[in-house]
Amino acid sequence: MALNIVLMGPPGAGKGTQAKKIIQAYAIPHISTGDMFRLAIKEGTKLGLVAKSYIDKGDLVPDDVTIGLVKERLAMDDCKKGYLLDGFPRTIPQAEALEVLSKEIGREVSLVIDIEVEKKELIRRIAGRRVCKNCGAPYHVDTAKPKVEGVCDICGGPLYQRLDDNEAALEVRLTHYEEDTKPLLDFYKKTGKLVVLDGGEGSDRLFEKITSILGEVSDDNH
Ligand code: AP5
């Protein structure tokens, strides 16, 4: 049975960190709309230019652009055995579009994991986050240091601070989370697919909880 997972949570909750562990353990593709936009920005494509004008300020990229991108990606062959959506959906129209398009292609969402962390800790994490320019692996200047300063442990790439990881953009991102994304929790609660986890725990402990939930989901579907 395919694991079709949606990972939700505010900026800095640890979605990217858990996503990297999940895709490695379950061999499913990681579909992060944030990563897709950042790649388009790096490559200087038309999509990148549009996305940059929103992302740098902390605003959401318009729904039509984002939905089109995910629709194309979910239809690809490697999503046949499952997928991990990270950062999508983020608005009610995106969630509604996902319901329709995932049904159309027979790849309906089986589980929604929401990672919750208190605001003070989110600010601490985002302020200290450094990311690998090559592979996107996240680090933290105090609590998740690389072995060699400024160098990724995994691929040796240089670490940098994201442009939207500043105080002003973070405030806008947190407001979008509260106003646009949080209402999705009610939407998914009604489907019975939502699991809410405390992301204030260490990332290894959180991953243990996620693997135990994923085990139950795949058992239920056998
Ligand atoms: P996106 O890239 O999705 O960013 P985000 O949702 O703001 O989330 P982050 O990447 O900031 O945080 P994370 O939860 O992945 O945390 P991480 O694991 O890195 O989106 C960026 C932008 O793109 C959006 O603002 C928007 O403009 C646009 N966009 C994307 N999707 C869109 C959509 N669907 N619609 C419209 N626009 C869209 O961890 C953070 C830090 O904490 C790291 O330093 C890490 O080491 C540390 N950490 C992680 N877990 C733990 C832990 N358990 N304990 C202690 N520290 C931890």
Side-chain angles (χ1 to χ4, degrees):
M1 167 67 197
L3 280 177
N4 300 335
I5 309 165
V6 168
L7 202 49
M8 288 183 59
K15 301 182 295 296
T17 303
Q18 294 303 320
K20 292 222 164 358
K21 292 172 188 278
I22 296 169
I23 56 158
Q24 206 172 6
Y26 296 92
I28 52 176
H30 179 199
I31 305 177
S32 156
T33 38
D35 285 351
M36 289 160 99
F37 290 137
R38 280 185 288 277
L39 180 65
I41 292 170
K42 194 170 148 190
E43 291 175 344
T45 64
K46 207 171 139 194
L47 170 68
L49 277 178
V50 173
K52 188 171 166 52
S53 65
Y54 294 94
I55 292 179
D56 285 357
K57 290 183 284 184
D59 279 325
L60 295 178
V61 178
D63 283 337
D64 56 340
V65 177
T66 313
I67 291 166
L69 194 66
V70 171
K71 187 172 183 178
E72 226 172 80
R73 184 64 187 88
L74 267 193
M76 289 183 185
D77 268 359
D78 64 341
C79 295
K80 222 182 258 170
K81 290 188 185 149
Y83 55 79
L84 177 66
L85 276 171
D86 164 4
F88 183 95
R90 249 175 159 100
T91 63
I92 291 285
Q94 290 182 16
E96 288 170 346
L98 178 61
E99 289 287 294
V100 174
L101 74 92
S102 63
K103 242 180 224 154
E104 268 170 18
I105 57 174
R107 294 175 185 176
E108 279 178 73
V109 172
S110 45
L111 180 71
V112 179
I113 300 173
D114 171 50
I115 305 175
E116 286 299 322
V117 176
E118 64 168 31
K119 187 173 174 184
K120 202 171 144 206
E121 172 65 2
L122 294 174
I123 294 169
R124 185 199 71 80
R125 289 184 187 183
I126 292 289
R129 173 168 55 185
R130 299 294 180 271
V131 183
C132 174
K133 214 163 204 159
N134 290 345
C135 72
Y139 294 87
H140 191 279
V141 290
D142 297 320
T143 46
K145 294 181 188 180
K147 289 188 189 103
V148 178
E149 202 186 325
V151 180
C152 177
D153 292 347
I154 301 162
C155 73
L159 306 188
Y160 79 111
Q161 185 166 28
R162 271 172 41 180
L163 266 177
D164 59 342
D165 278 356
N166 63 69
E167 218 176 296
L170 178 60
E171 206 46 58
V172 177
R173 287 158 67 196
L174 288 169
T175 303
H176 279 299
Y177 178 74
E178 287 296 321
E179 292 178 358
D180 302 303
T181 310
K182 250 192 167 171
L184 296 191
L185 298 180
D186 273 340
F187 178 94
Y188 283 121
K189 212 179 273 170
K190 287 179 196 143
T191 66
K193 293 174 185 169
L194 177 69
V195 176
V196 181
L197 295 177
D198 175 8
E201 300 192 75
S203 62
D204 288 342
R205 177 77 194 108
L206 185 57
F207 182 59
E208 275 172 27
K209 282 193 181 165
I210 291 177
T211 49
S212 111
I213 292 161
L214 293 183
E216 285 167 23
V217 171
S218 38
D219 288 348
D220 283 353
N221 288 309
H222 274 135

